[in-house]
């Protein structure tokens, strides 16, 4: 299997980390869980229809984010995987799916920044990007659009001589502009929201990092604090968000702590932890740190990553928490009790819509909790 070289080097690097290293709970979890995810991915590869492209890219980015690139076997494996899995498919691949663009470009950018990527391979990758990285038109940006926009904007910086730079940048600015008009994400499903929570910040960071190159666009910043507090209020005392919307199945029993739903991630905690931690730092809101840690403590023990082979993508996103969390911000229990009607901004900021009804019996982990999803994008308040 083509992934073998990268897999073996991934495990070797992880096994050589000193157990005495100074790490927070997130870093320690990444170190412990990384090998489990790689082994599982290798025994049950997914994305076979795409020749492992996006899974390979997710695996590569995970390694680059969690380890220092030191060359040797790892570097050889990474380079070989990029060439074998990506570049060699240039004649058979017409379009890279939205999952692939960001992790591939991020990995290329990291290796190139460290001057570890051969010039000839970088040139081949630009040819691949020119051919397969396509912008799109969207009316309501969802997780696919966010992932694609973040990847395309990063590609515009990584491959500045590409003829598609303006189109890639325009796609990213359009998605961000629509997000700012709404100051909320459009999807009503934790399964997708966990992705939105991470790529929203990645897109924002990359836009304002590249603001000189997008100066011909009207770029503005905006606050998503109300959105993050709306999701904060959905976290149960036990530390989970219920599997409403397109995040569970009515045809099978749904449990917050077991994979009994048709979706294998009815408590998609990892992405929420990352987004909450970044929002806590951005808005200096200690209550967002509290729910991030609560979801991490519950999710990592009762529904840990490394039990499903698609966990490689969750781990890839989870790694960003090591950059974004603020350990100096002391978590603060929001102390939410009683009943609450949540509302959300909708229709690109033009109306308020009813979202969730929540009933709480207390703030302790075993307190009763009820969430009713009443959101409709066609029935405003």
């Amino acid at each position: 299997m083509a992934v073998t070289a990268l897999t073996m080097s991934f495990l070797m690097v992880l096994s050589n980390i000193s157990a005495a290293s100074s790490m927070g709970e997130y870093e320690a979890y990444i170190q412990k869980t990384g090998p489990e995810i790689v082994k599982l991915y290798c025994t049950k590869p997914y994305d076979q229809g795409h020749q492992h492209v996006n899974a390979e890219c997710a695996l590569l980015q995970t390694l680059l984010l969690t380890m220092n690139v030191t060359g040797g076997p790892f570097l050889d494996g990474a380079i070989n995987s990029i060439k074998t899995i990506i570049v060699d498919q240039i004649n058979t691949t017409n379009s890279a799916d939205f999952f692939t663009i960001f992790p591939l470009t991020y990995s290329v950018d990291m290796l190139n920044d460290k001057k570890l990527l051969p010039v000839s391979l970088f040139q081949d990758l630009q040819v691949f990007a020119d051919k397969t990285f396509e912008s799109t038109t969207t009316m309501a940006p969802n997780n696919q659009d966010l992932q694609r926009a973040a990847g395309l904007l990063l590609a515009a910086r990584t491959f500045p001589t590409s003829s598609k730079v303006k189109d890639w940048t325009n796609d990213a600015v359009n998605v961000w502009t629509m997000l700012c008009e709404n100051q909320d994400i459009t999807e009503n499903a934790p399964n997708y929201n966990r992705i939105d929570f991470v790529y929203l910040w990645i897109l924002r960071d990359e836009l304002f990092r590249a603001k000189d190159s997008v100066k011909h666009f009207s770029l503005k910043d905006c606050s998503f604090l109300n959105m993050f507090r709306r999701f904060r209020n959905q976290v149960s005392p036990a530390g989970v968000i219920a599997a409403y919307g397109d995040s569970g199945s009515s045809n099978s029993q749904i449990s917050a702590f077991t994979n009994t739903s048709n979706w294998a991630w009815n408590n998609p905690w990892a992405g929420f932890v990352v987004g909450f931690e970044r929002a806590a730092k951005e808005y200096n809101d200690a209550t967002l740190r509290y729910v991030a840690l609560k979801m991490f403590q519950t999710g990592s023990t009762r529904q840990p990553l490394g039990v499903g082979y698609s966990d490689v993508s969750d781990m890839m996103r989870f790694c960003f928490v090591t950059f974004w969390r603020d350990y100096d911000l002391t978590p603060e229990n929001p102390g939410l009790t009683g009943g609450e009607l949540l509302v959300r901004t909708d229709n690109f900021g033009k109306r308020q819509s009813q979202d969730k009804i929540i009933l709480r019996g207390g703030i302790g982990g075993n307190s009763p909790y009820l969430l009713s999803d009443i959101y409709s994008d066609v029935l405003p308040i």
Side-chain angles (χ1 to χ4, degrees), residues 16 21 24 83 86 118 138 149 155 174 260 295 302 305 366 381:
N16 288 331
S21 298
K83 184 178 185 304
I86 308 300
T138 181
N174 285 342
T260 51
M295 291 192 76
R302 300 197 182 185
L305 300 179
N366 294 322
I381 294 176

Side-chain angles (χ1 to χ4, degrees), residues 315-327:
M315 179 58 79
M316 175 193 77
R317 292 184 287 266
F318 184 66
C319 289
F320 280 93
V321 78
T322 63
F323 304 140
W324 292 349
R325 52 81 179 107
D326 181 1
Y327 282 129

Side-chain angles (χ1 to χ4, degrees), residues 208-221:
F208 286 91
R209 177 179 181 179
K211 61 183 178 182
D212 289 341
S213 63
V214 298
K215 59 187 177 182
H216 54 289
F217 296 100
S218 178
L219 189 63
K220 63 179 181 179
D221 201 0

Side-chain angles (χ1 to χ4, degrees), residues 188-189 244-246 354-357 371-376:
N188 186 51
Y244 56 80
D246 194 3
Q354 297 177 354
D355 185 39
K356 308 287 182 288
I357 294 175
L371 181 149
S372 177
D373 177 23
I374 59 172
Y375 173 69
S376 170

Side-chain angles (χ1 to χ4, degrees), residues 169-339:
T169 305
N170 188 59
D171 184 284
V173 173
N174 285 342
V175 169
W176 179 254
T177 299
M178 285 186 281
L179 284 172
C180 279
E181 288 176 350
N182 214 38
Q183 295 188 39
D184 209 318
I185 49 184
T186 60
E187 293 172 293
N188 186 51
N191 177 49
Y192 303 133
N193 299 144
R194 91 210 202 266
I195 301 173
D196 299 324
F197 258 45
V198 178
Y199 281 101
L200 180 152
W201 292 117
I202 292 174
L203 176 59
R204 177 185 180 275
D205 289 350
E206 193 60 35
L207 273 170
F208 286 91
R209 177 179 181 179
K211 61 183 178 182
D212 289 341
S213 63
V214 298
K215 59 187 177 182
H216 54 289
F217 296 100
S218 178
L219 189 63
K220 63 179 181 179
D221 201 0
C222 52
S223 173
F224 294 91
L225 178 58
N226 289 337
M227 180 197 78
F228 280 103
R229 286 179 173 170
R230 176 171 67 83
F231 278 98
R232 175 201 66 188
N233 292 11
Q234 295 177 43
V235 179
S236 75
V240 301
I241 290 182
Y244 56 80
D246 194 3
S247 299
S249 170
S250 59
N251 298 321
S252 60
Q253 180 183 0
I254 295 176
S255 166
F257 303 134
T258 58
N259 293 329
T260 51
S261 157
N262 284 352
W263 287 107
W265 36 68
N266 48 44
N267 177 29
W269 57 271
F272 282 108
V273 170
V274 179
F276 276 134
E277 284 283 8
R278 174 59 188 271
K281 181 177 182 178
E282 193 77 22
Y283 305 123
N284 194 35
D285 187 334
T287 65
L288 300 179
R289 271 225 79 201
Y290 179 89
V291 294
L293 288 166
K294 189 73 174 177
M295 291 192 76
F296 171 72
Q297 291 160 0
T298 299
S300 62
T301 51
R302 300 197 182 185
Q303 195 175 6
L305 300 179
V307 297
Y309 50 80
S310 61
D311 286 353
V312 64
S313 295
D314 276 313
M315 179 58 79
M316 175 193 77
R317 292 184 287 266
F318 184 66
C319 289
F320 280 93
V321 78
T322 63
F323 304 140
W324 292 349
R325 52 81 179 107
D326 181 1
Y327 282 129
D328 294 328
L329 185 62
T330 302
E332 178 183 333
N333 190 330
L336 301 171
T337 59

Side-chain angles (χ1 to χ4, degrees), residues 49-66:
H50 292 281
Q51 303 297 309
H52 309 287
V53 171
N54 74 52
E56 277 292 323
C57 294
L59 189 62
L60 177 60
Q61 184 187 332
T62 299
L63 178 55
L64 290 173
L65 281 169
T66 54

Side-chain angles (χ1 to χ4, degrees), residues 6 46-47 50 52-65 74 78 81-82 85-86 96-112 117 125 128-129 133 143-155 157-159 195 198-199 202-203 206 310-320:
L6 179 57
Y46 76 115
D47 194 38
H50 292 281
H52 309 287
V53 171
N54 74 52
E56 277 292 323
C57 294
L59 189 62
L60 177 60
Q61 184 187 332
T62 299
L63 178 55
L64 290 173
L65 281 169
F74 158 65
S81 287
I82 291 177
I85 305 298
I86 308 300
D97 65 42
F98 60 89
F99 284 121
T100 298
I101 299 173
F102 180 81
L104 172 60
T105 309
Y106 192 95
S107 301
V108 169
D109 186 61
M110 289 184 71
L111 287 167
N112 199 46
L117 198 64
L125 285 162
F128 183 84
F133 288 10
N143 75 93
Q144 297 182 19
D145 299 310
L146 274 170
Q147 292 177 76
R148 183 186 292 108
L152 291 177
L153 188 59
L154 182 57
R157 177 165 63 80
T158 305
F159 307 113
I195 301 173
V198 178
Y199 281 101
I202 292 174
L203 176 59
E206 193 60 35
S310 61
D311 286 353
V312 64
S313 295
D314 276 313
M315 179 58 79
M316 175 193 77
R317 292 184 287 266
F318 184 66
C319 289
F320 280 93

